[in-house]
Structure formats: structure tokens, C-alpha cells
Amino acid sequence: MTQKETIGMIGTGVMGKSMAEHLLRAGYNVFVYTRTKEKANELMEQGAIWQDSVADVAKQTDIIITMIGTPEDVKEVYLGEHGILANARAGTTLIDMTTSSPRLAVDIYEAAKQSKVDVLDAPVSGGDVGAKNATLAIMCGGDKAIFEKMYPIFEIMGKNIVYQGEAGAGQHTKMVNQISIAPAMVGLCEALIYIKKAGLNPDSVLDSISTGAAGSWSLDNYAPRMLIGDFAPGFAVKHYIKDMKIALQSAEEMNLDTPGLKLALEMYEKLAAMGEAETGIHGLLKYYE
Amino acid sequence: MTQKETIGMIGTGVMGKSMAEHLLRAGYNVFVYTRTKEKANELMEQGAIWQDSVADVAKQTDIIITMIGTPEDVKEVYLGEHGILANARAGTTLIDMTTSSPRLAVDIYEAAKQSKVDVLDAPVSGGDVGAKNATLAIMCGGDKAIFEKMYPIFEIMGKNIVYQGEAGAGQHTKMVNQISIAPAMVGLCEALIYIKKAGLNPDSVLDSISTGAAGSWSLDNYAPRMLIGDFAPGFAVKHYIKDMKIALQSAEEMNLDTPGLKLALEMYEKLAAMGEAETGIHGLLKYYE
């Protein structure tokens, strides 16, 4: 058996932690760094090797996966003075699985080319449950040959793994996903609040509408929780706001007006201002109550 | 075998015609009236009996089904001087399958009680294809005993037949359906236009997003047609505008603010003003192009 590559994992929050666990179980050496060291404790108990900085990870690993916060964080971690590109060896492959800006993904890809480092943008959907069960959808942009080389790594963490095209196409695809959910969640909330106000029986209404044109993943998965007032995330409002802002900026860069996205973003920002930043995105129902 | 009831069908447009055909094939005597007589010609060839007025239908039938245009039409046909209630015999059952106002459904129900006539509000979803294939979803309000008595009639025309509660509950349920679709269609259009503007491969993007949180009936059924520019109805913009206006009025009567519905209605009205009133509702993509 050939020696497995050493993988760096930067960012071990809810998502990154589960993903690193799968890599450890698959037999990889995993070097970890995250801003709050305690968040890596469980991983270290499972064999992950702590590093004190992004640079230390970058110097010693063949593949580096990042799962961090905002595009600003991604920019700093990749392009900053003490970042990955300043420290990675030629031939390293970098995979940013954070949901981040498509344009930034292109910038990082181009900067990395100069250092003979390969980069993929590979954001995911499926949330904490998908990360835990290794059923994430992974949407990947970058060089196709590199995508194919990394496919066995992706398979350890996800199920629906699709190459989307050149650098940035993974992030763009994730934006498409978030854009299509945003107004739909508004519609779902308006439907459910109407059910309540009109005094209808929610179960029989859902029996009537869930198999037709109103049918959706959100209706199947969120509506039952919304009806009993279970607004636990799932996917938190504050993270969704971050994603929608990236999507809106990206749309504006393409001169694309998106009134539905704008409305949803405004509503979610009001919801966050109401103290609901940590609630699940289906908590938008509270906006109406 | 007992003699089958005589059924009146008022309104033989695309929907009503298919529904009447199923009733004829099931062996019922069907008396028809519609504003434009030629629209009943095919039904008459299949054995339907023409009547020259709503009143003539009402005087001779045991069950009357209406599938007409706007709430104003419904009001005239049921409550007008020459309408059904002024002419129907005691013991007749009236079923309004038009998508109409929940409040009007209650008004008709109450007026009918005084004439010892039973009324159900039973709007449908599933469109022309559902009507043709007898797979309509039927959402019914009114007295439960009458719903049960009429169930064999509903079964001839639909598949997903659900009792929703007292008079008006069928119409309210249809409003819930339309409300949840409206902003979702906005989201779907913004997602697809983003795909085009970003130069993504639509097939691979849909592979990534259609099984996750962005998954929906609309994405599965409309997106492929939208991507090839096939905007034939299905369900026409002008009819959807009518439904959204009823939904908005009904929401306002309950002091419910529905910004997503309002936005969608505004956009569809602009689309209609662009000359697209007859296009399918997925033609909203043209608003962005």
C-alpha cells in the first residue's frame, strides 16, 4: 500500500470537524489548525495533529482543506502574509470548501498558479447532518484533472460530487443553490402563517399541496418543524445572511438584478436584528408572528 | 343498478371540459352551459346536453359543478338574479371547483343553506394535464357529510382528494398552495438567470442542487423547460395573477402581511404588461432577460 497523503484541515467548526473525522477514519494523517484551539480537542483525541498556525499546516501537508468563515477569512488564510500561498510547497493541492466569493476563488486560483500550487473551490450543501453522515453535496470548480485527482478525498466526505467547471464555478453553483432557496423560504413562511391565521388543519393542507407544484424539500423537511415551533439549526440565520450577501454581490458584479434575493436578505437581516441570528433559517416564520 | 344523478357542468373551458368528459365516461348524464357555446361542442358530441342558461341547468340537475373564471363570475353565477341559487331545487348539491375567494365561498354556503341547498368549495391543482388525466388534487371545504357523499364524483376527476374543513377551507388551502409557489418561482428564475449569466453548465448545476434544500417540484418540472425557452402554459400568467390577487386580499382580510406574495404579484403584473399574459408562469424568467 502506498503512503497516504498528509492532509491539512484549517477550520474545525461543526462542518470541518466532521469532515476531518471522516479523513482520519479513512487512514489519512490530518494536521489541524483552527482559531479556537479547544475546537480541535476531540479531533486530536482521534489522532489529528495540532499545528500552531496556518503557515505550519501549509509547510507540511500535501493537500490542504479549508472550512472557515467569511470571504474575508478565506482571503486572509489563502493570500495573507502568513497565509497558505506564502508557505505551501509547489505541488500542494488546496481545496476551499467554505462558501465564499466566486471572484475570490478565481483570484486565489490565479495567485496559486504562480506558485505551482493547485486550487479547487468546492463548497458543500447538506449542513451539519450531511457533514456528519458524509453525505454532503460537493460542487467543485477548478482544473478538471485536479478535481479527478481529489475525487477519492471528496468521496470520503460527500455523496453528490459534481465538477462544475473552471475556478469559481463551484462557488457560483453554491450561490445558485442559496439564491433559489431564499425566496422559496419566504413563500413557505407565508404559506404556513396563512394556514395558522385561517385556522386550517396544517396536516390536511400539507396532504393537499405537498405532492403538487408547491412541493419542495423545504416543505417536506422544514414545515413539520416550523409547525411545532422547532427552530433549532440546521443552518443558522447568520450563516445564511453571509451567503446571501456573497450571492447578491456576485449577482451585482454580473449586472443581474435579483429582487427576490434582496427581499429575503432584508427580511433575514431584520430577523437577525430581532435576536434570531443563531436560529435555523426556517425561523423566518417568526418574522411574521 | 340505481339511476345515476344528473350533473350540471357550468364552465367548459380547458379544465371543465376534461372534467365533464370523465363524468360522461363514468356514465353520468351531464347538462352543460358555458358562455361561449362552441366550447361545449366536443362535449355534446360525447353526449352532454346543452342548456341555454345557468338557470336551465340549475332547474334540472341534482349536482352542479362550476369551473368558471373570476370570483366576480362565481358571485354572478351563484348569487345573481338568474343564478344557481335562485333556480336550484332543494336538495341539490353545488360544487364550486373554480379557484375563488374563501370569503365568497362562505357567503355562498350560507345563502345556500337558506334554500336547503348544499355547497362545497373544491378548487383543484394539477392544471390541464391533471384535468385530462383525472389526477387533480382536490381540496374541499364545506359540510363533511356532503364531502363524503360527493367523494365518488371527486374520484372520477382527481387523485389527491382531501377534506379541509368548513366552508371556505378548500379555497383557503388553494391560496396556501398559490402563496407558497409565488416567491419560489421568483427564486427559481433568479437561480436560472444566475446560471446563464455566470456561464455555468445548467445540467451539472441542477445535478448538484436538485436533491438538496433547493429541490422542488418547480425545479424538476419547470427548470428543464425554462432552460430550452419553452414557456408554453401549463398554467398561464393571467390566471396566476387572478389567484394571487385573491390570495393577497384574503391575507389582508386576516391582517397578514405577505411581502413575498406582493413582490411576486408585482413582477407577474409587469410580465403581463410586457405582453406575456398568456405565457406559462415559468415565463417569469423573461422578466429578468
Side-chain angles (χ1 to χ4, degrees):
Chain A
M1 222 175 124
T2 53
Q3 175 77 39
K4 291 210 180 202
E5 298 99 327
T6 296
I7 300 181
M9 172 66 77
I10 296 173
T12 60
V14 175
M15 300 292 292
K17 175 174 170 282
S18 289
M19 292 155 74
E21 283 174 340
H22 294 302
L23 296 169
L24 284 165
R25 277 185 217 130
Y28 285 90
N29 293 315
V30 180
F31 285 42
V32 295
Y33 171 77
T34 199
R35 274 190 298 211
T36 312
K37 190 175 176 180
E38 301 86 71
K39 287 195 180 169
N41 282 346
E42 275 188 60
L43 283 172
M44 289 189 281
E45 285 163 22
Q46 294 172 66
I49 300 150
W50 176 256
Q51 298 294 307
D52 283 324
S53 70
V54 168
D56 289 336
V57 174
K59 283 174 190 161
Q60 303 177 69
T61 49
D62 307 303
I63 298 166
I64 303 173
I65 296 172
T66 50
M67 193 64 171
I68 47 188
T70 64
E72 292 69 34
D73 297 328
V74 171
K75 191 170 179 183
E76 180 65 24
V77 164
Y78 276 84
L79 304 178
E81 201 183 338
H82 307 289
I84 296 174
L85 283 188
N87 290 282
R89 300 170 296 196
T92 306
T93 302
L94 315 179
I95 310 175
D96 185 24
M97 302 187 79
T98 318
T99 295
S100 175
S101 150
R103 172 168 283 194
L104 177 60
V106 174
D107 290 347
I108 293 170
Y109 172 90
E110 285 173 356
K113 272 284 174 240
Q114 314 212 341
S115 316
K116 301 201 186 306
V117 166
D118 295 304
V119 183
L120 299 173
D121 53 296
V124 304
S125 70
D128 53 348
V129 174
K132 187 165 269 180
N133 299 337
T135 55
L136 292 169
I138 301 174
M139 33 210 108
C140 186
D143 294 343
K144 192 163 190 189
I146 304 303
F147 166 76
E148 282 163 359
K149 203 169 128 192
M150 291 298 118
Y151 198 86
I153 305 286
F154 289 138
E155 275 191 304
I156 294 166
M157 302 180 286
K159 273 263 154 68
N160 186 16
I161 302 153
V162 184
Y163 178 70
Q164 293 294 347
E166 58 191 24
Q171 296 296 353
H172 272 313
T173 300
K174 180 67 186 279
M175 292 304 116
V176 173
N177 189 70
Q178 304 305 66
I179 287 171
S180 65
I181 294 170
M185 190 58 78
V186 172
L188 179 57
C189 288
E190 293 184 3
L192 292 186
I193 199 77
Y194 188 108
I195 287 174
K196 286 192 180 189
K197 286 262 189 180
L200 301 173
N201 174 343
D203 293 333
S204 64
V205 174
L206 296 185
D207 283 348
S208 275
I209 74 171
S210 63
T211 55
S216 71
W217 188 97
S218 294
L219 187 69
D220 292 343
N221 288 274
Y222 283 131
R225 288 191 255 164
M226 292 159 84
L227 287 168
I228 59 168
D230 171 8
F231 298 114
F235 183 48
V237 165
K238 65 178 179 182
H239 296 134
Y240 195 35
I241 289 174
K242 181 205 87 172
D243 291 3
M244 284 191 282
K245 282 181 173 170
I246 300 169
L248 192 57
Q249 193 184 340
S250 185
E252 283 169 355
E253 285 167 7
M254 299 188 290
N255 291 314
L256 175 59
D257 188 31
T258 52
L261 175 62
K262 275 183 197 161
L263 174 66
L265 178 55
E266 270 172 35
M267 291 174 69
Y268 273 104
E269 285 182 324
K270 280 187 198 163
L271 185 68
M274 286 162 59
E276 303 286 350
E278 306 288 337
T279 205
I281 64 167
H282 54 303
L284 184 63
L285 191 62
K286 295 183 185 181
Y287 177 96
Y288 292 90
E289 281 174 337
Chain B
M1 226 176 119
T2 55
Q3 173 76 38
K4 292 209 179 202
E5 298 100 327
T6 296
I7 300 181
M9 173 66 76
I10 296 172
T12 59
V14 176
M15 301 292 291
K17 175 174 169 284
S18 290
M19 293 155 74
E21 283 174 340
H22 294 302
L23 296 169
L24 284 166
R25 276 185 219 129
Y28 285 91
N29 291 316
V30 180
F31 285 42
V32 295
Y33 171 76
T34 199
R35 273 190 299 213
T36 312
K37 189 175 177 182
E38 302 84 73
K39 288 194 180 169
N41 282 346
E42 274 188 61
L43 284 172
M44 289 188 280
E45 284 163 23
Q46 294 171 66
I49 300 150
W50 175 256
Q51 298 294 307
D52 282 324
S53 70
V54 167
D56 288 336
V57 174
K59 284 173 188 162
Q60 303 177 69
T61 49
D62 307 304
I63 298 165
I64 302 172
I65 297 172
T66 50
M67 192 63 172
I68 46 188
T70 64
E72 292 70 34
D73 297 329
V74 171
K75 192 170 179 182
E76 179 65 24
V77 163
Y78 277 85
L79 304 177
E81 200 184 339
H82 307 290
I84 296 174
L85 284 188
N87 291 283
R89 300 170 296 195
T92 305
T93 302
L94 315 179
I95 311 175
D96 185 23
M97 302 187 78
T98 317
T99 295
S100 175
S101 151
R103 172 167 283 194
L104 177 60
V106 175
D107 291 346
I108 292 171
Y109 172 89
E110 286 172 356
K113 272 285 175 238
Q114 313 210 340
S115 317
K116 302 203 185 306
V117 166
D118 295 305
V119 183
L120 299 173
D121 52 295
V124 303
S125 72
D128 53 347
V129 175
K132 187 165 269 180
N133 299 337
T135 55
L136 292 169
I138 301 174
M139 34 210 107
C140 186
D143 295 343
K144 192 164 189 188
I146 304 302
F147 167 75
E148 283 163 359
K149 204 167 125 194
M150 291 298 117
Y151 197 86
I153 304 285
F154 288 138
E155 273 191 305
I156 293 166
M157 302 180 286
K159 274 264 155 65
N160 185 18
I161 302 153
V162 184
Y163 178 70
Q164 294 294 348
E166 57 192 22
Q171 295 296 353
H172 272 313
T173 301
K174 180 67 188 280
M175 292 305 116
V176 172
N177 190 70
Q178 304 306 66
I179 287 171
S180 65
I181 294 169
M185 190 58 76
V186 171
L188 178 58
C189 288
E190 292 184 5
L192 292 187
I193 199 78
Y194 188 108
I195 288 173
K196 285 191 179 188
K197 286 262 188 181
L200 302 172
N201 175 343
D203 293 332
S204 65
V205 174
L206 297 186
D207 283 348
S208 276
I209 73 171
S210 62
T211 55
S216 71
W217 189 96
S218 293
L219 187 69
D220 292 343
N221 289 274
Y222 283 131
R225 287 190 254 165
M226 291 159 83
L227 288 168
I228 59 168
D230 171 7
F231 298 114
F235 183 47
V237 165
K238 63 178 181 182
H239 296 134
Y240 195 36
I241 289 174
K242 181 206 85 171
D243 291 2
M244 284 191 281
K245 283 181 173 172
I246 300 169
L248 191 57
Q249 193 185 340
S250 184
E252 283 170 355
E253 284 167 7
M254 300 188 289
N255 291 315
L256 175 60
D257 189 30
T258 51
L261 174 63
K262 275 183 197 161
L263 174 66
L265 177 55
E266 270 171 35
M267 293 173 68
Y268 273 103
E269 284 182 325
K270 279 187 199 162
L271 185 68
M274 287 162 59
E276 301 287 350
E278 307 288 336
T279 206
I281 64 167
H282 54 302
L284 186 62
L285 191 64
K286 295 183 185 181
Y287 176 96
Y288 293 89
E289 280 175 336

